[in-house]
Amino acid sequence: MHRRSIRSISIRFLTLVVPFLLFSSGGKAQHTKFSDSILAIIEAMPNDTAKASYINEIYYNELWAFNLPEAYNALKLAARICREQHADTLLYRTYRSMGSFCVRANANDYAMQNTKSALELAIAMNDSVKIGSCWSAMAASFSSLGEHELSIAYYQKALPLIAKSGNIETIGRVHTFIGWAYDGVGQLDSAIRYCEMGLREREAANY
């Protein structure tokens, strides 16, 4: 096996499996200490795209362990490396993760800021599915802010682009979210229609 592949497998084992085992055994402090050690190893690597990818994986570990400040810091570090390396696809993914994180943390202004950064990259890449995904994420932020009419408008804008992916489950999720947004503006018939549509699609996707 190629040396680079061995290194990749070893680091992924360290970033994904070992922290899970440490946290599962009741050691959040151990988990955090181990993640810090692994981050130091990754930072000492050559400054390439793989480095940012590994740091993204630390984000998911810290998020899983409810270590939210460290999770967001890992994403910010990954974004900086991606910008330096002009790794636009991974930078797009990192900005989307940062946006999703901020929605969970009820920091909707930051969520919108990060999603707009991802949208700029998606437009530059001329990737219609990624553009639709960003508009859908912005719609979710508007919903969190109680701006349901804007949310509906952005979901409707996103839907035909996301549909190009052919991913029935994702399309079903968007239809469900549109239903929730219609419920937010009191349009019950539309809410039920979209939620039923989403449910049928998501069931179909899993059979």
Side-chain angles (χ1 to χ4, degrees), residues 55-56 58-64 66-77 98 101:
I55 292 171
N56 261 292
I58 286 181
Y59 154 71
Y60 287 107
N61 277 313
E62 299 298 350
L63 188 64
W64 178 82
F66 302 105
N67 195 352
L68 301 186
E70 288 305 314
Y72 195 68
N73 285 339
L75 282 178
K76 288 197 294 184
L77 178 58
M98 290 170 80
F101 176 93

Side-chain angles (χ1 to χ4, degrees), residues 16-205:
L16 295 173
V17 179
V18 177
F20 173 83
L21 295 173
L22 286 172
F23 190 82
S24 298
S25 64
K28 182 171 182 178
Q30 279 183 297
H31 165 92
T32 302
K33 184 177 179 182
F34 187 83
S35 289
D36 288 345
S37 299
I38 296 306
L39 185 57
I41 292 170
I42 293 171
E43 286 181 320
M45 290 168 57
N47 208 18
D48 57 13
T49 304
K51 182 175 175 180
S53 179
Y54 297 137
I55 292 171
N56 261 292
E57 288 170 0
I58 286 181
Y59 154 71
Y60 287 107
N61 277 313
E62 299 298 350
L63 188 64
W64 178 82
F66 302 105
N67 195 352
L68 301 186
E70 288 305 314
Y72 195 68
N73 285 339
L75 282 178
K76 288 197 294 184
L77 178 58
R80 179 177 63 77
I81 294 168
C82 288
R83 285 192 299 270
E84 290 170 355
Q85 299 299 315
H86 305 288
D88 288 349
T89 300
L90 186 54
L91 181 58
Y92 164 84
R93 196 181 84 191
T94 304
Y95 278 137
R96 289 285 286 109
S97 293
M98 290 170 80
S100 298
F101 176 93
C102 291
V103 168
R104 294 182 188 184
N106 292 318
N108 286 291
D109 288 342
Y110 287 107
M112 195 69 74
Q113 180 182 324
N114 285 307
T115 304
K116 285 179 178 177
S117 296
L119 178 59
E120 289 173 5
L121 287 166
I123 291 170
M125 289 186 278
N126 196 29
D127 189 319
S128 57
V129 175
K130 284 184 171 64
I131 291 169
S133 179
C134 289
W135 283 340
S136 179
M138 292 167 78
S141 290
F142 285 128
S143 270
S144 296
L145 292 167
E147 297 181 32
H148 299 295
E149 289 182 357
L150 267 176
S151 177
I152 292 167
Y154 270 79
Y155 277 131
Q156 296 286 19
K157 190 176 176 181
L159 194 55
L161 299 182
I162 290 173
K164 292 181 180 182
S165 70
N167 188 321
I168 301 301
E169 186 166 4
T170 300
I171 295 166
R173 277 203 301 269
V174 174
H175 279 139
T176 302
F177 296 152
I178 293 172
W180 293 352
Y182 271 116
D183 181 54
V185 296
Q187 295 187 31
L188 187 58
D189 288 345
S190 293
I192 291 171
R193 179 163 56 88
Y194 274 99
C195 284
E196 286 180 340
M197 194 186 313
L199 180 61
R200 286 195 300 271
E201 287 162 338
R202 294 170 80 175
E203 284 180 339

